[in-house]
Structure formats: structure tokens, C-alpha cells
Amino acid sequence: MDLRQLRHFLALVEHRSFVRAADAVRITQPAFSRSIQGLEQELGCQLIDRGAKDLRPTPAGLVVLQYAQDLVRGASNLAHEVKRMGKLDAGELCFGCGPAPAARLVPETMALFVRQYPGIHVRFEVNNWERLARQLNKDEIEFFVADIRYFRTNPNFQTLPLEPRPGVYFCRPGHPLLERSRLTLGDLLDYPLASARIPLETRKTLANLKGVTDFKLNIECDHLPALEQIVCGSDTVGITTTEAIQPSLEARRMVRLPVDLPHAERPGAQCGIVTRTGYRVSAAARAMIDLLCEQDRRLHPATAA
């Protein structure tokens, strides 16, 4: 049995005539009849009631009809999807990203994606990992790029790790903390803290230092330029990835705070790509994910190797 025979059977059910069906699939009537007979022999049953004027399907034929429609439609969809993967000249892609990958990885990858697939309409939203997960569950986005620590053991999600993004505590030039030779995390807690949504592990560490059951940032915002302005105009201490704040550090608009921390307590983002378990992403999403992985390796060639 092959798809050709199933297509012939569908044509016969549609046209109710061997002659008209053979003409529709553009083969001779004898060849068409042999194809139907071969299908019946392989399945071990008669599919068409040849004694009826309208050549109606037999009960067995009705069962085969249902499966034949699904198989032929599925094959057509598969061929269309593969073809679209080669072209990707139209369509839409919706995904999300956290503040850390939004600083460099996603914009640089988007530039590559637009050059390769200019016909795809792309919408991506920068948000924290909790809200992105809700959007993913509602099918509002196909995937997101963010900290994956919460999702690695959740069976409802699949994660594809990217390179970790080390973090940094930063402040404005002239901040009182810069007058100290050595800093601990407890010293920073004397000042307001501002960051995007922080992982649960970091919240627990800060909560233990403060002697509280849960830690809440003084200012939580997923927009890094806004956080920088707040830090620049006050004694607030900012938390983000080194990659995100590097241009401001190099321009000396911001200063890294030299905090002495154990490795487990250092800020940072364990970035990765999150999709829903059991859901197949579109060709456009797959192309974007592949480009994200390639660009991530270019940004971190030493660790990727």
C-alpha cells in the first residue's frame, strides 16, 4: 500500500466512476483499475461495491476512506511544511525573551533573521520568565528565551540550554559603597535594589541574609534602560548580566560593585530556549531557534567549545 493507491481510492469515491476517476488522476483506466485491485488485495477486503450503480464504498471501504483522507492530508501538510521551511517567504512568528537575552543575543539574532527571511512578520515581547511561561501556555507565543532554572524539571516544558550569562551588581559613579575596600552582599542590602524578576534561588539567598521568609526587590522592572536611569539618579544598586550592562560600564556611566561572593551566590542568568512539551513549533520558529543557538556560540566561542 502506498499514498498513490490511497489517492486513487479517494478519487474513485469522489467520482463514483472508474473512467472519470482515472481521468482525474491522469492515468489510463486499466492502470487505475489495477491500482484499486492491488489495494484491495493488500488489505484483504473489497473496498467498492461494484454491484451498485454509484460504486459506493463497502463498510470496510468506509473505514479505509477515513484513514486514507487523514494520511493523504497529512502527507500534503508535511510536503507543504518542508517546502515552507526552504522558503519562509511569508507568515508570522511570535516569541518572547527575558531582559538578559534582550540586551544583545535576541537583537543581533533578529538582524540575521530579517536579512534571511524578510517576508516573515515577527513580534517578540520582552518580559520576565513567569509572564512568558503564562503566554506560552496560552499559545500567545511559540517559545521564549529566558532563565530556564524554573523550567528544567517541569514536565510541561522542554528546555534548550544556552551559555550562562554571568551577573553583576552595579551603581552610579560616586556611590557611597565605592568608598569601601571590600563589599559583602549584606552591605548592598543597606541600599535599594533594582532588577528584572530574579530567580527563586537568588531570592532565597537575599531573604536569608535579611532574615525574612521572602525577598522583594525595591524596584522590579524588565526594561534595562529604565533601571539604568533609576540607578544613575539615586543610590539604588542595580542587578543585571554583565553582557547587558557592559556598554555602560565601558562608557563609565555605571560602575561594577566588587562584591566578594561564593560562586553559588553570584548573580547571573542561566539562559535557554523554552517550548511546550508535545507541541511542534512552526518552521519560522525553528529557523529562529537555530539562529539563536548559532549566534549564542559566536558570542561565547570559548565556553561553547
Side-chain angles (χ1 to χ4, degrees):
M1 175 177 33
D2 56 34
L3 286 173
R4 177 183 55 84
Q5 290 174 307
L6 295 177
R7 289 192 180 97
H8 292 171
F9 174 61
L10 292 176
L12 182 56
V13 172
E14 178 184 357
H15 295 282
R16 301 300 174 94
S17 163
F18 278 86
V19 175
R20 289 195 299 271
D23 185 58
V25 298
R26 298 183 180 181
I27 62 173
T28 64
Q29 193 270 325
F32 185 87
S33 297
R34 287 195 297 271
S35 176
I36 299 297
Q37 290 169 359
L39 181 61
E40 289 178 322
Q41 290 172 3
E42 187 166 353
L43 293 174
C45 61
Q46 188 173 331
L47 301 178
I48 295 293
D49 185 355
R50 290 170 174 77
K53 278 189 174 182
D54 57 357
L55 294 178
R56 69 175 67 96
T58 63
L62 290 174
V63 174
V64 173
L65 175 63
Q66 180 181 353
Y67 283 93
Q69 289 171 333
D70 291 341
L71 288 169
V72 171
R73 187 184 303 113
S76 177
N77 291 340
L78 175 61
H80 178 71
E81 184 73 8
V82 171
K83 185 177 180 181
R84 295 283 298 164
M85 286 188 71
K87 289 187 175 180
L88 284 176
D89 53 0
E92 184 175 88
L93 168 62
C94 300
F95 72 98
C97 69
R104 185 177 179 186
L105 174 62
V106 171
E108 291 186 3
T109 306
M110 272 301 312
L112 296 172
F113 187 89
V114 169
R115 288 201 293 269
Q116 293 187 33
Y117 311 108
I120 302 292
H121 172 73
V122 181
R123 177 180 63 82
F124 74 92
E125 179 175 344
V126 181
N127 218 321
N128 64 67
W129 47 271
E130 286 186 331
R131 292 182 179 175
L132 292 173
R134 288 197 290 268
Q135 289 182 294
L136 185 63
N137 280 325
K138 293 179 181 178
D139 289 328
E140 295 175 356
I141 55 177
E142 290 195 70
F143 69 91
F144 64 84
V145 194
D147 197 299
I148 62 173
R149 278 174 277 194
Y150 175 78
F151 306 98
R152 285 182 297 197
T153 58
N154 191 323
N156 296 318
F157 299 96
Q158 288 185 319
T159 58
L160 176 62
L162 299 173
E163 291 303 315
R165 265 62 180 176
V168 62
Y169 291 94
F170 65 97
C171 65
R172 63 174 176 84
H175 194 287
L177 283 172
L178 295 174
E179 298 174 2
R180 306 185 190 183
S181 57
R182 290 187 61 185
L183 291 173
T184 66
L185 192 53
D187 296 328
L188 272 57
L189 296 179
D190 292 333
Y191 295 87
L193 291 182
S195 174
R197 186 74 167 167
I198 56 177
L200 297 175
E201 292 89 340
T202 306
R203 281 167 55 187
K204 289 178 181 178
T205 298
L206 295 172
N208 289 335
L209 281 170
K210 267 215 158 182
V212 295
T213 55
D214 190 19
F215 181 84
K216 290 186 178 180
L217 291 162
N218 300 87
I219 303 161
E220 184 175 308
C221 177
D222 298 315
H223 190 248
L224 180 60
L227 286 178
E228 285 195 45
Q229 284 192 323
I230 295 167
V231 172
C232 185
S234 68
D235 285 343
T236 301
V237 172
I239 312 172
T240 189
T241 61
T242 305
E243 183 179 83
I245 200 68
Q246 191 64 38
S248 294
L249 295 177
E250 292 175 353
R252 299 186 178 181
R253 293 189 299 270
M254 296 294 156
V255 181
R256 179 197 301 265
L257 284 166
V259 189
D260 187 15
L261 291 173
H263 179 76
E265 296 180 3
R266 293 173 189 171
Q270 296 184 18
C271 290
I273 297 166
V274 181
T275 55
R276 290 178 68 186
T277 301
Y279 286 76
R280 184 168 58 90
V281 299
S282 67
R286 173 50 53 193
M288 183 67 186
I289 289 171
D290 290 343
L291 283 176
L292 283 165
C293 294
E294 290 174 13
Q295 185 64 14
D296 186 59
R297 288 191 290 269
R298 293 191 192 102
L299 290 174
H300 304 271
T303 52

